[in-house]
Every structure is written in C-alpha cells, then in structure tokens.
C-alpha cells in the first residue's frame, strides 16, 4: 500500500459530465496530492447545464462499499455529497464513525441543483439535528443555509458542527464565504476584489468541499483548510468561460 499520500473518500453521486459528484471530487483529490477513493450514492443523467434523472443506489450497497474500503485503507477524511434523505446520511456517518471515531467528515448538503432538480428529501430536514453532531463541517451555499436555518438546525446547544456558508449566491459581498465555528464567524474574502474573471461552474460546490477535505487530511486546521480550498476553487472558476472547469494547482 502506498504511504506517500493520505487516503480520502468521496461518497457522492455519479455525474456523467464529470463536472460534479465523485468524478469531480477525485479530480480535485489528485491535484491536491491525496489518494482518492469513491463510493457512489446515486446514478444521474445530466450535463453541465441540466439534470434529467436520478437513481439512488440501495443504502445497504453503499454501506458495504464504505465498510470494505475503510477496512483496507487508512482513510483520514471523508467528503459526502448528494444523499437521499436524513436516514441515508445518518447510516453513512454511523458506518464511517464505527471505523474511525476521529475521522474528519465534511458534508456538502446539495438540496437542489442549479437547474432546480431536487435531490434531498426536505421533509426529513427536522431529523438532521443529531446527525450534524457527528459531522465536522457542512458547506451549504447561501440559499441552502437559509433553508437549513429555518429548521433551527444551528441553534441547538451542543451541536459541534462547523458551517461554511458559500457566498457565490449572495446578492451582497458576492464570493465572501462565512465560516461559523464554535459561535465565531470568520469572513473568507475572495482572493481578488474584481470578480469579472470568475465564471459560473457546474460542480463548484463539490470541488470546494473536496478541496477542503483534502487539506484536512493533510493536517491543516479547519480555517486553514477552508482558506486553501477557497484558493483552489477560485483557480477553478477562472479556468475557462464554460460551465465545465479545468482542475489545476
């Protein structure tokens, strides 16, 4: 087994365009010098501009795949992408923690695609409170954060989950992310003030969360990992004018 790079895992959907989900995560992991493993939660039919259908994989198959990989590889951090509902997420997190109690778990809570295709069962959101206590960081965009906040998921005492609110959908201070951790808010400003060189990208949320996961696996603290992940995503957003970005460091 190789020991030069830490092992990280993406548990996410399969996007045949390669712009989001497991494929995008693995591209990011490779660029950031970590060894990426992948478990598929769903098969989608989509392009960079629209999602047509989704077929969820059986939960027991997902759990089995996680179990096998974590028995054979010393996984340091896990990024979770699209999941069907709270039960899906709970069982996945439970299995991960059963192998490695101190592992870093990041969840990118994709509720809808940019084209308004629904992924997560919103009716199960009130059940998220206990699950979030077992997650280190979630990375909702500005709109998703507002939906989650409506269910008081971040006001529960003892909730140790940090939140990175992505600023790409904000009307003010576009591109400024807010890291909320232990009652403290840290503003992560864009690397450049002029946003004219940034282009919208399919899968940008997946890429950011997987970049953060990679840096956490390499030993960075949470704030540093978020800042370095932000630098990576800015290069991704500037890579070309199309909706499918290029990966580079």
């Amino acid at each position: 087994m190789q020991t030069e790079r830490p092992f990280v895992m993406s548990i996410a959907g399969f996007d045949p365009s390669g712009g989001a989900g497991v494929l995008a995560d693995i591209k990011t992991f490779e660029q950031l010098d970590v060894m990426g493993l992948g478990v598929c939660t769903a098969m989608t039919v989509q392009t960079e501009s629209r999602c047509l259908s989704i077929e969820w994989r059986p939960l027991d198959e997902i759990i089995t795949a996680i179990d096998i990989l974590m028995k054979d590889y010393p996984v340091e951090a896990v990024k979770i992408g699209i999941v069907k509902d709270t039960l899906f997420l709970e069982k996945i997190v439970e299995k991960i923690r059963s192998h490695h109690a101190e592992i870093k778990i990041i969840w990118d809570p994709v509720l809808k695609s940019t084209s308004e295709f629904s992924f997560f069962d919103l009716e199960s959101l009130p059940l998220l409170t206990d699950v979030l206590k077992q997650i280190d960081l979630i990375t909702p965009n500005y709109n998703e954060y507002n939906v989650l906040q409506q269910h008081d998921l971040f006001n529960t005492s003892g909730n140790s989950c940090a939140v990175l609110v992505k600023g790409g959908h904000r009307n003010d201070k576009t591109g400024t992310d807010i890291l909320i951790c232990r009652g403290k808010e840290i503003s992560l400003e864009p690397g450049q003030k002029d946003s004219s060189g940034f282009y919208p990208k399919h899968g940008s949320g997946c890429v950011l969360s997987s970049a953060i996961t990679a840096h956490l696996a390499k030993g960075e603290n949470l704030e540093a990992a978020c800042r370095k992940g932000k630098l990576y995503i800015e290069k991704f957003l500037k890579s070309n004018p199309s909706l499918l970005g290029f990966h580079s460091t």
Side-chain angles (χ1 to χ4, degrees):
M1 182 186 301
Q2 70 84 30
T3 57
E4 295 179 6
R5 298 184 176 193
F7 284 91
V8 293
M9 184 189 297
S10 166
I11 303 172
F14 179 82
D15 168 12
S17 79
V22 171
L23 292 180
D25 293 343
I26 295 297
K27 292 176 185 179
T28 306
F29 293 155
E30 189 70 18
Q31 288 294 330
L32 292 174
D33 297 326
V34 295
M35 185 62 73
L37 308 173
V39 174
C40 184
T41 58
M43 301 297 293
T44 71
V45 176
Q46 63 179 302
T47 66
E48 74 272 22
S49 60
R50 58 191 180 131
C51 185
L52 302 175
S53 67
I54 185 168
E55 180 180 348
W56 294 103
R57 288 192 64 208
L59 181 57
D60 59 343
E61 292 183 12
I62 296 170
I63 296 300
T64 297
I66 294 169
D67 197 34
I68 291 171
L69 289 173
M70 293 196 72
K71 283 178 179 177
D72 280 18
Y73 302 102
V75 180
E76 299 292 336
V78 177
K79 174 266 174 83
I80 302 172
I82 59 169
V83 288
K84 184 178 181 180
D85 52 31
T86 297
L87 176 62
F88 248 58
L89 181 64
E90 179 183 23
K91 295 301 182 182
I92 288 170
V93 171
E94 190 177 273
K95 174 54 66 175
I96 295 168
R97 290 282 179 212
S98 72
H99 282 279
H100 189 338
E102 301 302 319
I103 198 171
K104 299 297 183 183
I105 300 177
I106 295 82
W107 178 40
D108 185 28
V110 183
L111 306 183
K112 287 185 177 181
S113 69
T114 304
S115 58
E116 293 299 304
F117 189 95
S118 295
F119 291 114
F120 192 87
D121 179 6
L122 298 181
E123 291 187 2
S124 72
L125 280 178
L127 305 175
L128 267 177
T129 302
D130 289 338
V131 184
L132 291 181
K133 294 177 183 179
Q134 301 300 316
I135 294 174
D136 295 279
L137 174 71
I138 65 170
T139 58
N141 63 36
Y142 196 65
N143 296 332
E144 289 164 342
Y145 177 70
N146 288 332
V147 172
L148 297 173
Q149 208 175 27
Q150 289 171 11
H151 292 84
D152 295 323
L153 295 173
F154 308 115
N155 298 325
T156 305
S157 61
N159 186 352
S160 60
C161 179
V163 184
L164 179 68
V165 186
K166 298 174 291 192
H169 290 77
R170 294 179 59 164
N171 294 322
D172 64 326
K173 296 183 178 180
T174 303
T176 297
D177 302 338
I178 305 295
L179 176 61
I180 306 169
C181 183
R182 298 173 184 172
K184 180 181 178 182
E185 293 190 7
I186 303 169
S187 291
L188 306 181
E189 305 288 340
Q192 62 182 53
K193 298 300 181 182
D194 182 9
S195 61
S196 60
F198 295 130
Y199 301 98
K201 288 286 178 286
H202 172 56
S204 57
C206 301
V207 173
L208 175 60
S209 56
S210 56
I212 293 170
T213 305
H215 286 297
L216 287 172
K218 292 162 71 173
E220 299 286 356
N221 64 38
L222 184 58
E223 181 180 345
C226 289
R227 290 188 183 279
K228 290 188 175 183
K230 190 171 182 62
L231 291 175
Y232 186 89
I233 193 65
E234 287 182 352
K235 290 181 181 178
F236 181 74
L237 294 174
K238 291 189 292 184
S239 64
N240 73 80
S242 81
L243 286 173
L244 289 176
F246 302 150
H247 289 259
S248 63
T249 52

